[in-house]
Amino acid sequence: MTGRSGFISFVGRPNVGKSTLMNALVGEKIAITSSKPQTTRRAIRGIVTKGDDQIIIVDTPGLHRPRTLLGERLNALVESTLGDVDVIGMCLPACDPIGPGDRYIIEQLARYPRSKRIAIVTKTDTVSPTQVLDKLTEIKDLLNWDLVVPLSGKTGDRVDVLIHEIIPLLPESPHLYDEADITDEKSGDRISELVREAALEELADELPHSLAVTLEDIVPGVDGAKMRVYVNVIVERDSQKGIIIGHRGSMLRLIGERSRPAIEKILGEPVFLALHVKVAKDWQRDPKQLGRLGF
Ligand SMILES: Nc1nc2c(ncn2[C@@H]2O[C@H](COP(=O)(O)OP(=O)(O)O)[C@@H](O)[C@H]2O)c(=O)[nH]1
Ligand SMILES: [Mg+2]
């Protein structure tokens, strides 16, 4: 008997736990997560192989009203992704009331009639079992879902149930990726994303939209010297440069210390991480610079 393989993408407001869920499903950190806006800017694929079956999870930035050219491009990326997946998983946190933002996204789901639609109640660890039940009842009334599952991406509770229940919704197909793969994301992109995540965590709230990170170079260590990893941290304005660098470089040092362990895990050896801050004036609105940064 052939198995089933296919694509699922999670949608929902920012911060509902989409990227955390993808990492929990894959069992390793593929997507960066934080409570800051625009944490996810790319369509990243995570791969879960169970015997003959394979689930490919596409993590996207999520839909929102665009304010910049970058915002428009991110929305276009989400729309083209959703048009291609077999299952769309609407994420609704157990701890928040269902609001206009959620309803807007649920209405958009009608535009993808080819996909199965499932509801996922996320962050069940933050509320009581009774509250989870109430939420499930409320959600079941919103749409004729193919499946409704409550879980916690953080504790991993019922994540295996989701895997088990998604598989029957996928088309019959041989594996689409090698079973040893957990992502199609290149190590270079994972490294720059880890630095961006560390910067989002360390920095104040006004900078996240202005921040971009690129990998410049990796130089192997010779004669016992550490491998050197050169990363550019890009901001939009000169005034932001000082914030990233911090007093005597203290902020940059914190960002480096926070991201280095995960980078060493990807590269499999200790590294010297060199962060350079650069200004690309108003890059979010500039088609040429956006292209250069990969958007
Ligand atoms: N308590 C709890 N927090 C979670 C859970 N999933 C995500 N979070 C937190 O919610 C925030 C947003 O998560 P993220 O996965 O980046 O959300 P996204 O914007 O939907 O991708 C982060 O601070 C996560 O640590 C969960 O299951 N339980
Ligand atoms: Mg995300």
Side-chain angles (χ1 to χ4, degrees):
M1 201 195 81
T2 53
R4 296 179 178 274
S5 292
F7 294 85
I8 178 168
S9 190
F10 299 125
V11 295
R13 285 179 291 108
N15 265 330
V16 294
K18 302 180 293 293
S19 297
T20 303
L21 176 55
M22 160 153 154
N23 292 339
L25 286 163
V26 174
E28 193 173 310
K29 183 153 155 179
I30 303 294
I32 63 167
T33 63
S34 90
S35 55
K36 306 289 166 64
Q38 276 195 18
T39 300
T40 307
R41 277 184 182 155
R42 309 145 43 74
I44 298 170
R45 286 173 181 181
I47 301 154
V48 180
T49 305
K50 293 277 173 206
D52 287 337
D53 307 309
Q54 194 166 61
I55 305 172
I56 298 126
I57 308 137
V58 191
D59 189 29
T60 72
L63 288 166
H64 24 65
R65 199 177 311 137
R67 285 184 297 137
T68 62
L69 185 58
L70 173 63
E72 280 173 34
R73 293 204 178 167
L74 296 183
N75 271 358
L77 172 73
V78 176
E79 299 206 350
S80 68
T81 304
L82 295 184
D84 278 345
V85 296
D86 302 295
V87 180
I88 299 177
M90 173 72 195
C91 295
L92 295 150
C95 48
D96 296 344
I98 294 166
D102 301 309
R103 289 178 206 282
Y104 170 80
I105 296 170
I106 292 172
E107 281 163 24
Q108 303 298 308
L109 297 184
R111 293 167 52 198
Y112 309 99
R114 199 183 74 81
S115 312
K116 300 277 195 313
R117 290 164 300 180
I118 70 175
I120 300 162
V121 179
T122 58
K123 308 194 186 186
T124 52
D125 59 293
T126 60
V127 299
S128 73
T130 326
Q131 283 168 294
V132 173
L133 279 179
D134 290 346
K135 184 61 83 180
L136 287 172
T137 313
E138 195 184 354
I139 287 172
K140 280 178 180 156
D141 286 340
L142 293 176
L143 197 82
N144 186 17
W145 305 102
D146 290 287
L147 174 72
V148 182
V149 180
L151 54 75
S152 167
K154 190 165 184 173
T155 66
D157 187 37
R158 292 182 65 93
V159 167
D160 54 335
V161 175
L162 180 66
I163 293 178
H164 189 75
E165 303 210 331
I166 288 173
I167 289 170
L169 301 177
L170 301 177
E172 277 190 20
S173 158
H175 288 169
L176 299 168
Y177 284 87
D178 194 300
E179 57 196 79
D181 291 345
I182 52 163
T183 181
D184 67 350
E185 184 78 335
K186 295 195 257 344
S187 333
D189 291 332
R190 290 176 73 189
I191 291 168
S192 34
E193 284 287 272
L194 286 166
V195 173
R196 194 163 64 85
E197 178 182 52
L200 288 173
E201 292 293 339
E202 295 290 343
L203 287 162
D205 279 338
E206 79 271 26
L207 270 185
H209 293 281
S210 301
L211 212 60
V213 178
T214 60
L215 177 68
E216 177 79 32
D217 203 5
I218 298 182
V219 182
V222 278
D223 298 336
K226 280 187 192 170
M227 176 187 274
R228 299 176 81 85
V229 179
Y230 295 90
V231 173
N232 299 318
V233 180
I234 297 155
V235 289
E236 290 194 292
R237 291 185 285 282
D238 282 321
S239 59
Q240 296 169 334
K241 216 173 154 174
I243 301 175
I244 300 270
I245 294 171
H247 180 63
R248 292 188 182 160
S250 56
M251 177 56 79
L252 213 51
R253 203 155 43 242
L254 284 174
I255 295 170
E257 279 164 13
R258 195 185 256 266
S259 53
R260 200 175 50 241
I263 292 172
E264 292 179 335
K265 201 168 161 219
I266 290 175
L267 294 172
E269 62 180 271
V271 302
F272 175 81
L273 181 60
L275 304 178
H276 293 285
V277 182
K278 294 187 172 172
V279 179
K281 283 240 158 38
D282 286 326
W283 65 263
Q284 287 192 80
R285 294 165 202 280
D286 178 350
K288 230 162 92 192
Q289 307 218 61
L290 281 173
R292 209 174 297 144
L293 293 170
F295 293 106

